[in-house]
Each structure stands twice: as structure tokens, then as C-alpha cells.
Amino acid sequence: MCCYDLHSHSTASDGTLAPAALVEKACAAGVNVLALTDHDTLDGFAAASVAVAGRDLCLIPGVEISVSWRAMTIHVLGLSVDPGNRELLEGLRGLQEFRDWRAREIGERLAKKGIPGALEGADRFRKGSILGRTHFAHFLVAEGYAASVGEVFKRFLVKGKPGYVRGEWASLEQALGWIRGAGGLAVIAHPARYRLTRSKLRDLIGEFREAGGVGLEVVSGSHSRDQTLHMAAVSREHRLLASCGSDYHGPENTWVELGRLREMPAGCTPIWEADAWPATAGT
Ligand code: AMP
Ligand code: MN
Ligand code: MN
Ligand code: MN
């Protein structure tokens, strides 16, 4: 049996392990097929693929695209994308520009609430081109404004809190266009996290499929057992391929481990059994 982990982050976005260290960790954890899926960037892939040379690990180039859908932020994974695809890279560059604008905005809003220097502070935790809320969280924890990253989000960075800025990300159609144009498979990441009503989830999946999406992340490091079973049923009902990924961000989050995932529930069609799955990647 092959061990798949199709959702992970490196320092190219908001993970804490460099791509090469992530690859090493995946090998040590017994992962056979790893997708590197940094937020809105493919920058980590080159270093990760160098690190994979000579190892018994299949590395899948991926990306986790931030999407705005009905005033919400939804994450869509592009698996097995061509990391050199021009339109994809240009699309991601637009999202990175929005991130930079948003970061300045977050910095100003926090300053008004008596927290100076947050933009520069967050930037010190950034190791790649992506500046995200996690970097702000690391800064606020380091400065003693909160005890944990989770607490920072709750108190400062989510809707209704002082450092919250509404996302203006890609549309579902744009994200799916980029992913498909780059030869990738589109998967809705951690679907239970959005707390959608049944009918909204149905609408999202309808639009996602219409735009060419094929997969649902049934097994996720952020899904409970019940959520996994629910999403398994949803994937069967809507004939979506089932994906699995830890959403690993680094060893600091001790409750999520690379490759350590719940079993794929029975009756789902794993995405690696799809015809479009890259032939070299496991099975
Ligand atoms: P961003 O894409 O910059 O808006 O940041 C989203 C990232 O923040 C997610 O991918 C998680 O890594 C992290 N994040 C979001 N919510 C939380 C939370 N409640 N606790 C810890 N990390 C979170
Ligand atoms: Mn993240
Ligand atoms: Mn996500
Ligand atoms: Mn993720």
C-alpha cells in the first residue's frame, strides 16, 4: 500500500520547513507520494524536486489557490500542474500582489489598535515570496500579544477582528482555468472547514464541477472522523474523486503529521485511481 499525502506547505508559503527539509521529513514518515501545495505559489517546487533526487519519493507539483466565492474564501488545490505554465504563474502573481496590499492593510489596522510595526515584523518571518496571515500570527506571538497562533487568529485576524481584511482572491472560474490549463486536477481543499450549509455546499460543488473541478479532499488533517465520513458521502453523491492530505505546515503543529492520515473511507474513488493521474505517481 502506497502512502499518499497530497497537501503540504513549505517556507515558500506559510510552512516552517524549507522544501528540502519537508521532502526529508516525508521520506522519514514513510510517505511515498507527496504533493507540495503552497498557497498561491509554485516557488518551492524546484528545491523540493532537487531534494527528491535519489530518494524513494514521488513528488507532485501542486498549489493551493485562494478563491473568493460568495464573499467567502475557499481553497482549491491544483495537483500535478505544470510548474512552468505561464498563465498559471501569472495568475498566481496577481494573488501575490493582492497579498502584499492586504499585508500593508493588516499592518495599518493593527497599528491603529496599538500594535506598531506588524508589517515589518511579519515580513521577518517570511522566507519566500508569500506573505500571509500566519506570518503576522508568528510575529504577534513572538511579541507576546497572544500565547499561540490559534489565539492570534481568533483575536486579531478573523472576520470582525481588528486585523481582518476581506479577501479578493481568484474567482472559481479563474482558478480552475489556470489549473486545467496547466494540466492539473482541481480539488476542493478541506471542505468541512468552510462550515457550509448543505445547499451552499451543493452550489459550490455544482459550480466547481461546471468549471472542470474533479476532486474533493475527503481525508484532511483538519477533518474530524465525522467530517471525513460526511465528505466521503458527498464525494460519492457528486461523483468527485477523493483526495487525502495532511495540510502539514511544520513540526510546530504537533497534531498534524506528514502522511499520518485517516484511511480513505470505503466506496470513494481515490484521485490516484483516475485516468488523469500522473502515471509515475504511486498506485
Ligand atoms: P492567508 O491565506 O494568508 O489568509 O492565511 C491562511 C492560513 O492561515 C491557512 O492556510 C492556515 O495556515 C492559517 N490559519 C487560518 N486560520 C487559522 C487558525 N484559526 N489557526 C491557525 N492557523 C490558521
Ligand atoms: Mn496555511
Ligand atoms: Mn487551506
Ligand atoms: Mn493548506
mmCIF file with all atom_site columns, all heavy atoms in Angstrom, residues 16-17 23 26 28 58 102 157 165 175 196 209 214 252 276 283:
data_model
loop_
_atom_site.group_PDB
_atom_site.id
_atom_site.type_symbol
_atom_site.label_atom_id
_atom_site.label_alt_id
_atom_site.label_comp_id
_atom_site.label_asym_id
_atom_site.label_entity_id
_atom_site.label_seq_id
_atom_site.pdbx_PDB_ins_code
_atom_site.Cartn_x
_atom_site.Cartn_y
_atom_site.Cartn_z
_atom_site.occupancy
_atom_site.B_iso_or_equiv
_atom_site.pdbx_formal_charge
_atom_site.auth_seq_id
_atom_site.auth_comp_id
_atom_site.auth_asym_id
_atom_site.auth_atom_id
_atom_site.pdbx_PDB_model_num
ATOM 1   N N   . THR A 1 16  ? 6.838   25.959 7.880   1.00 0.00 ? 16  THR A N   1
ATOM 2   C CA  . THR A 1 16  ? 8.080   26.337 8.570   1.00 0.00 ? 16  THR A CA  1
ATOM 3   C C   . THR A 1 16  ? 9.279   25.495 8.148   1.00 0.00 ? 16  THR A C   1
ATOM 4   O O   . THR A 1 16  ? 10.404  25.779 8.558   1.00 0.00 ? 16  THR A O   1
ATOM 5   C CB  . THR A 1 16  ? 7.922   26.261 10.104  1.00 0.00 ? 16  THR A CB  1
ATOM 6   O OG1 . THR A 1 16  ? 7.490   24.949 10.443  1.00 0.00 ? 16  THR A OG1 1
ATOM 7   C CG2 . THR A 1 16  ? 6.904   27.269 10.612  1.00 0.00 ? 16  THR A CG2 1
ATOM 8   N N   . LEU A 1 17  ? 9.065   24.447 7.339   1.00 0.00 ? 17  LEU A N   1
ATOM 9   C CA  . LEU A 1 17  ? 10.196  23.672 6.825   1.00 0.00 ? 17  LEU A CA  1
ATOM 10  C C   . LEU A 1 17  ? 10.507  24.104 5.397   1.00 0.00 ? 17  LEU A C   1
ATOM 11  O O   . LEU A 1 17  ? 9.591   24.287 4.587   1.00 0.00 ? 17  LEU A O   1
ATOM 12  C CB  . LEU A 1 17  ? 9.882   22.174 6.826   1.00 0.00 ? 17  LEU A CB  1
ATOM 13  C CG  . LEU A 1 17  ? 9.716   21.468 8.170   1.00 0.00 ? 17  LEU A CG  1
ATOM 14  C CD1 . LEU A 1 17  ? 9.501   19.968 7.946   1.00 0.00 ? 17  LEU A CD1 1
ATOM 15  C CD2 . LEU A 1 17  ? 10.924  21.689 9.079   1.00 0.00 ? 17  LEU A CD2 1
ATOM 16  N N   . VAL A 1 23  ? 10.775  17.428 2.221   1.00 0.00 ? 23  VAL A N   1
ATOM 17  C CA  . VAL A 1 23  ? 10.972  16.181 1.483   1.00 0.00 ? 23  VAL A CA  1
ATOM 18  C C   . VAL A 1 23  ? 11.626  15.141 2.395   1.00 0.00 ? 23  VAL A C   1
ATOM 19  O O   . VAL A 1 23  ? 11.205  13.990 2.460   1.00 0.00 ? 23  VAL A O   1
ATOM 20  C CB  . VAL A 1 23  ? 11.841  16.441 0.228   1.00 0.00 ? 23  VAL A CB  1
ATOM 21  C CG1 . VAL A 1 23  ? 12.454  15.160 -0.310  1.00 0.00 ? 23  VAL A CG1 1
ATOM 22  C CG2 . VAL A 1 23  ? 11.010  17.143 -0.852  1.00 0.00 ? 23  VAL A CG2 1
ATOM 23  N N   . ALA A 1 26  ? 9.127   13.877 4.855   1.00 0.00 ? 26  ALA A N   1
ATOM 24  C CA  . ALA A 1 26  ? 8.142   12.995 4.219   1.00 0.00 ? 26  ALA A CA  1
ATOM 25  C C   . ALA A 1 26  ? 8.730   11.595 4.039   1.00 0.00 ? 26  ALA A C   1
ATOM 26  O O   . ALA A 1 26  ? 8.054   10.590 4.294   1.00 0.00 ? 26  ALA A O   1
ATOM 27  C CB  . ALA A 1 26  ? 7.704   13.573 2.869   1.00 0.00 ? 26  ALA A CB  1
ATOM 28  N N   . ALA A 1 28  ? 11.130  10.225 5.819   1.00 0.00 ? 28  ALA A N   1
ATOM 29  C CA  . ALA A 1 28  ? 11.251  9.618  7.150   1.00 0.00 ? 28  ALA A CA  1
ATOM 30  C C   . ALA A 1 28  ? 9.900   9.141  7.663   1.00 0.00 ? 28  ALA A C   1
ATOM 31  O O   . ALA A 1 28  ? 9.820   8.168  8.410   1.00 0.00 ? 28  ALA A O   1
ATOM 32  C CB  . ALA A 1 28  ? 11.856  10.633 8.118   1.00 0.00 ? 28  ALA A CB  1
ATOM 33  N N   . CYS A 1 58  ? 7.795   10.070 -4.617  1.00 0.00 ? 58  CYS A N   1
ATOM 34  C CA  . CYS A 1 58  ? 7.282   10.730 -5.813  1.00 0.00 ? 58  CYS A CA  1
ATOM 35  C C   . CYS A 1 58  ? 6.729   12.090 -5.398  1.00 0.00 ? 58  CYS A C   1
ATOM 36  O O   . CYS A 1 58  ? 5.882   12.168 -4.515  1.00 0.00 ? 58  CYS A O   1
ATOM 37  C CB  . CYS A 1 58  ? 6.190   9.867  -6.436  1.00 0.00 ? 58  CYS A CB  1
ATOM 38  S SG  . CYS A 1 58  ? 5.343   10.729 -7.752  1.00 0.00 ? 58  CYS A SG  1
ATOM 39  N N   . ARG A 1 102 ? -2.811  43.497 0.941   1.00 0.00 ? 102 ARG A N   1
ATOM 40  C CA  . ARG A 1 102 ? -3.536  43.122 2.156   1.00 0.00 ? 102 ARG A CA  1
ATOM 41  C C   . ARG A 1 102 ? -2.632  43.197 3.384   1.00 0.00 ? 102 ARG A C   1
ATOM 42  O O   . ARG A 1 102 ? -3.057  43.637 4.470   1.00 0.00 ? 102 ARG A O   1
ATOM 43  C CB  . ARG A 1 102 ? -4.106  41.700 2.017   1.00 0.00 ? 102 ARG A CB  1
ATOM 44  C CG  . ARG A 1 102 ? -4.916  41.266 3.231   1.00 0.00 ? 102 ARG A CG  1
ATOM 45  C CD  . ARG A 1 102 ? -5.308  39.804 3.187   1.00 0.00 ? 102 ARG A CD  1
ATOM 46  N NE  . ARG A 1 102 ? -4.159  38.927 3.296   1.00 0.00 ? 102 ARG A NE  1
ATOM 47  C CZ  . ARG A 1 102 ? -4.216  37.645 3.629   1.00 0.00 ? 102 ARG A CZ  1
ATOM 48  N NH1 . ARG A 1 102 ? -5.403  37.069 3.869   1.00 0.00 ? 102 ARG A NH1 1
ATOM 49  N NH2 . ARG A 1 102 ? -3.133  36.921 3.712   1.00 0.00 ? 102 ARG A NH2 1
ATOM 50  N N   . LEU A 1 157 ? -7.300  38.189 13.590  1.00 0.00 ? 157 LEU A N   1
ATOM 51  C CA  . LEU A 1 157 ? -7.189  38.032 12.135  1.00 0.00 ? 157 LEU A CA  1
ATOM 52  C C   . LEU A 1 157 ? -8.415  37.460 11.436  1.00 0.00 ? 157 LEU A C   1
ATOM 53  O O   . LEU A 1 157 ? -8.404  37.308 10.217  1.00 0.00 ? 157 LEU A O   1
ATOM 54  C CB  . LEU A 1 157 ? -5.963  37.162 11.799  1.00 0.00 ? 157 LEU A CB  1
ATOM 55  C CG  . LEU A 1 157 ? -4.602  37.726 12.238  1.00 0.00 ? 157 LEU A CG  1
ATOM 56  C CD1 . LEU A 1 157 ? -3.487  36.741 11.917  1.00 0.00 ? 157 LEU A CD1 1
ATOM 57  C CD2 . LEU A 1 157 ? -4.328  39.071 11.566  1.00 0.00 ? 157 LEU A CD2 1
ATOM 58  N N   . VAL A 1 165 ? -8.947  41.648 6.964   1.00 0.00 ? 165 VAL A N   1
ATOM 59  C CA  . VAL A 1 165 ? -9.171  42.307 5.675   1.00 0.00 ? 165 VAL A CA  1
ATOM 60  C C   . VAL A 1 165 ? -9.829  41.289 4.749   1.00 0.00 ? 165 VAL A C   1
ATOM 61  O O   . VAL A 1 165 ? -9.347  40.159 4.631   1.00 0.00 ? 165 VAL A O   1
ATOM 62  C CB  . VAL A 1 165 ? -7.842  42.784 5.038   1.00 0.00 ? 165 VAL A CB  1
ATOM 63  C CG1 . VAL A 1 165 ? -8.084  43.441 3.695   1.00 0.00 ? 165 VAL A CG1 1
ATOM 64  C CG2 . VAL A 1 165 ? -7.113  43.739 5.978   1.00 0.00 ? 165 VAL A CG2 1
ATOM 65  N N   . ALA A 1 175 ? -9.445  30.234 -11.166 1.00 0.00 ? 175 ALA A N   1
ATOM 66  C CA  . ALA A 1 175 ? -8.569  29.233 -10.535 1.00 0.00 ? 175 ALA A CA  1
ATOM 67  C C   . ALA A 1 175 ? -8.628  27.914 -11.308 1.00 0.00 ? 175 ALA A C   1
ATOM 68  O O   . ALA A 1 175 ? -7.598  27.296 -11.592 1.00 0.00 ? 175 ALA A O   1
ATOM 69  C CB  . ALA A 1 175 ? -8.968  29.019 -9.083  1.00 0.00 ? 175 ALA A CB  1
ATOM 70  N N   . LEU A 1 196 ? -20.214 25.111 5.476   1.00 0.00 ? 196 LEU A N   1
ATOM 71  C CA  . LEU A 1 196 ? -21.283 25.458 4.537   1.00 0.00 ? 196 LEU A CA  1
ATOM 72  C C   . LEU A 1 196 ? -22.552 24.673 4.867   1.00 0.00 ? 196 LEU A C   1
ATOM 73  O O   . LEU A 1 196 ? -22.469 23.538 5.334   1.00 0.00 ? 196 LEU A O   1
ATOM 74  C CB  . LEU A 1 196 ? -20.849 25.104 3.108   1.00 0.00 ? 196 LEU A CB  1
ATOM 75  C CG  . LEU A 1 196 ? -19.632 25.856 2.564   1.00 0.00 ? 196 LEU A CG  1
ATOM 76  C CD1 . LEU A 1 196 ? -19.120 25.189 1.289   1.00 0.00 ? 196 LEU A CD1 1
ATOM 77  C CD2 . LEU A 1 196 ? -19.993 27.307 2.291   1.00 0.00 ? 196 LEU A CD2 1
ATOM 78  N N   . ARG A 1 209 ? -17.743 21.796 -10.385 1.00 0.00 ? 209 ARG A N   1
ATOM 79  C CA  . ARG A 1 209 ? -17.761 20.764 -11.433 1.00 0.00 ? 209 ARG A CA  1
ATOM 80  C C   . ARG A 1 209 ? -17.972 21.386 -12.803 1.00 0.00 ? 209 ARG A C   1
ATOM 81  O O   . ARG A 1 209 ? -17.341 20.990 -13.787 1.00 0.00 ? 209 ARG A O   1
ATOM 82  C CB  . ARG A 1 209 ? -18.869 19.753 -11.161 1.00 0.00 ? 209 ARG A CB  1
ATOM 83  C CG  . ARG A 1 209 ? -18.589 18.937 -9.924  1.00 0.00 ? 209 ARG A CG  1
ATOM 84  C CD  . ARG A 1 209 ? -19.367 17.671 -9.944  1.00 0.00 ? 209 ARG A CD  1
ATOM 85  N NE  . ARG A 1 209 ? -19.147 16.982 -11.217 1.00 0.00 ? 209 ARG A NE  1
ATOM 86  C CZ  . ARG A 1 209 ? -19.241 15.693 -11.384 1.00 0.00 ? 209 ARG A CZ  1
ATOM 87  N NH1 . ARG A 1 209 ? -19.576 14.925 -10.387 1.00 0.00 ? 209 ARG A NH1 1
ATOM 88  N NH2 . ARG A 1 209 ? -19.035 15.151 -12.564 1.00 0.00 ? 209 ARG A NH2 1
ATOM 89  N N   . VAL A 1 214 ? -12.597 18.272 -10.321 1.00 0.00 ? 214 VAL A N   1
ATOM 90  C CA  . VAL A 1 214 ? -12.815 16.821 -10.279 1.00 0.00 ? 214 VAL A CA  1
ATOM 91  C C   . VAL A 1 214 ? -12.727 16.198 -8.882  1.00 0.00 ? 214 VAL A C   1
ATOM 92  O O   . VAL A 1 214 ? -13.164 15.064 -8.695  1.00 0.00 ? 214 VAL A O   1
ATOM 93  C CB  . VAL A 1 214 ? -11.814 16.078 -11.193 1.00 0.00 ? 214 VAL A CB  1
ATOM 94  C CG1 . VAL A 1 214 ? -12.048 16.438 -12.657 1.00 0.00 ? 214 VAL A CG1 1
ATOM 95  C CG2 . VAL A 1 214 ? -10.366 16.361 -10.791 1.00 0.00 ? 214 VAL A CG2 1
ATOM 96  N N   . GLU A 1 252 ? 5.787   22.389 14.340  1.00 0.00 ? 252 GLU A N   1
ATOM 97  C CA  . GLU A 1 252 ? 5.194   23.130 15.470  1.00 0.00 ? 252 GLU A CA  1
ATOM 98  C C   . GLU A 1 252 ? 3.749   22.684 15.729  1.00 0.00 ? 252 GLU A C   1
ATOM 99  O O   . GLU A 1 252 ? 3.294   22.657 16.866  1.00 0.00 ? 252 GLU A O   1
ATOM 100 C CB  . GLU A 1 252 ? 5.197   24.642 15.208  1.00 0.00 ? 252 GLU A CB  1
ATOM 101 C CG  . GLU A 1 252 ? 6.579   25.249 15.047  1.00 0.00 ? 252 GLU A CG  1
ATOM 102 C CD  . GLU A 1 252 ? 7.177   25.004 13.664  1.00 0.00 ? 252 GLU A CD  1
ATOM 103 O OE1 . GLU A 1 252 ? 6.453   24.501 12.777  1.00 0.00 ? 252 GLU A OE1 1
ATOM 104 O OE2 . GLU A 1 252 ? 8.373   25.293 13.496  1.00 0.00 ? 252 GLU A OE2 1
ATOM 105 N N   . ALA A 1 276 ? -6.540  10.441 -15.283 1.00 0.00 ? 276 ALA A N   1
ATOM 106 C CA  . ALA A 1 276 ? -5.712  11.633 -15.473 1.00 0.00 ? 276 ALA A CA  1
ATOM 107 C C   . ALA A 1 276 ? -4.556  11.706 -14.468 1.00 0.00 ? 276 ALA A C   1
ATOM 108 O O   . ALA A 1 276 ? -3.711  12.586 -14.569 1.00 0.00 ? 276 ALA A O   1
ATOM 109 C CB  . ALA A 1 276 ? -6.573  12.884 -15.340 1.00 0.00 ? 276 ALA A CB  1
ATOM 110 N N   . THR A 1 283 ? 0.409   4.303  -6.950  1.00 0.00 ? 283 THR A N   1
ATOM 111 C CA  . THR A 1 283 ? -0.529  3.208  -7.174  1.00 0.00 ? 283 THR A CA  1
ATOM 112 C C   . THR A 1 283 ? 0.084   1.838  -6.976  1.00 0.00 ? 283 THR A C   1
ATOM 113 O O   . THR A 1 283 ? 1.257   1.678  -6.773  1.00 0.00 ? 283 THR A O   1
ATOM 114 C CB  . THR A 1 283 ? -1.269  3.220  -8.554  1.00 0.00 ? 283 THR A CB  1
ATOM 115 O OG1 . THR A 1 283 ? -0.338  2.998  -9.584  1.00 0.00 ? 283 THR A OG1 1
ATOM 116 C CG2 . THR A 1 283 ? -2.039  4.499  -8.716  1.00 0.00 ? 283 THR A CG2 1
#
